[in-house]
Amino acid sequence: MCLKRYLWVLVVASLWPVGTARGESAPWELVRTGGSDASFIDVTSDPGHPERIVAASPRVVYVSPDEGRTWQESFRLPAQVSVIEVTVSGAVPATILLATDQGLYGSFDDGVHWARLFRGASEGAAQCTTAVFHPDRELTVFLGTL
């Protein structure tokens, strides 16, 4: 049992960037979305197209098709609704889901059209804390709520 645990730690350590392990900082590049809402709540990439990045600020979803070089606004949430988490499926076209404090919002066509998908089972239960796609079944989502 100890041997397995030890090997697992070695594998994880070997995946860590060498410069970071020595305390060196990785080169960072300042990228602007062009939007006025600059604080991101969550950022993820499209599993089917890793160069496509989806970032969510408290009220706006931005999409970059080119590894963050350019950005475009995909969706602006209604007033009084805030993003908690964004997740993207590996399906084609991609499904993008937003767990918010007022339910689940989603797009089934790469972010072109958006709709509110879940409002909560009872009053006060609309806050979604997380949304995760099943790793083997693209159309299955696990949703956490309060």
Side-chain angles (χ1 to χ4, degrees):
M1 184 76 154
C2 289
L3 181 60
K4 287 182 183 179
R5 183 176 294 156
Y6 181 71
L7 290 176
W8 181 78
V9 170
L10 286 176
V11 170
V12 171
S14 70
L15 296 176
W16 194 265
V18 175
T20 306
R22 290 188 297 224
E24 299 171 8
S25 61
W28 287 88
E29 181 181 341
L30 177 61
V31 176
R32 302 216 185 268
T33 62
S36 60
D37 202 357
S39 61
F40 290 134
I41 300 299
D42 199 13
V43 178
T44 190
S45 64
D46 182 334
H49 301 281
E51 70 282 357
R52 187 168 182 254
I53 302 170
V54 179
S57 71
R59 296 222 21 252
V60 180
V61 177
Y62 298 96
V63 176
S64 171
D66 54 10
E67 298 178 332
R69 288 192 257 329
T70 61
W71 293 87
Q72 60 187 0
E73 185 176 309
S74 177
F75 179 59
R76 184 170 292 271
L77 286 152
Q80 309 305 318
V81 178
S82 294
V83 171
I84 294 173
E85 183 179 71
V86 61
T87 188
V88 180
S89 75
V92 176
T95 297
I96 306 171
L97 298 177
L98 299 174
T100 76
D101 61 351
Q102 299 294 317
L104 182 70
Y105 287 78
S107 169
F108 298 99
D109 56 7
D110 284 326
V112 176
H113 299 94
W114 290 84
R116 189 175 188 183
L117 307 174
F118 177 76
R119 297 179 188 268
S122 63
E123 189 173 328
Q127 183 171 345
C128 295
T129 56
T130 190
V132 179
F133 286 96
H134 189 284
D136 298 324
R137 290 183 251 150
E138 301 180 333
L139 301 177
T140 302
V141 175
F142 299 101
L143 180 63
T145 64
L146 290 181

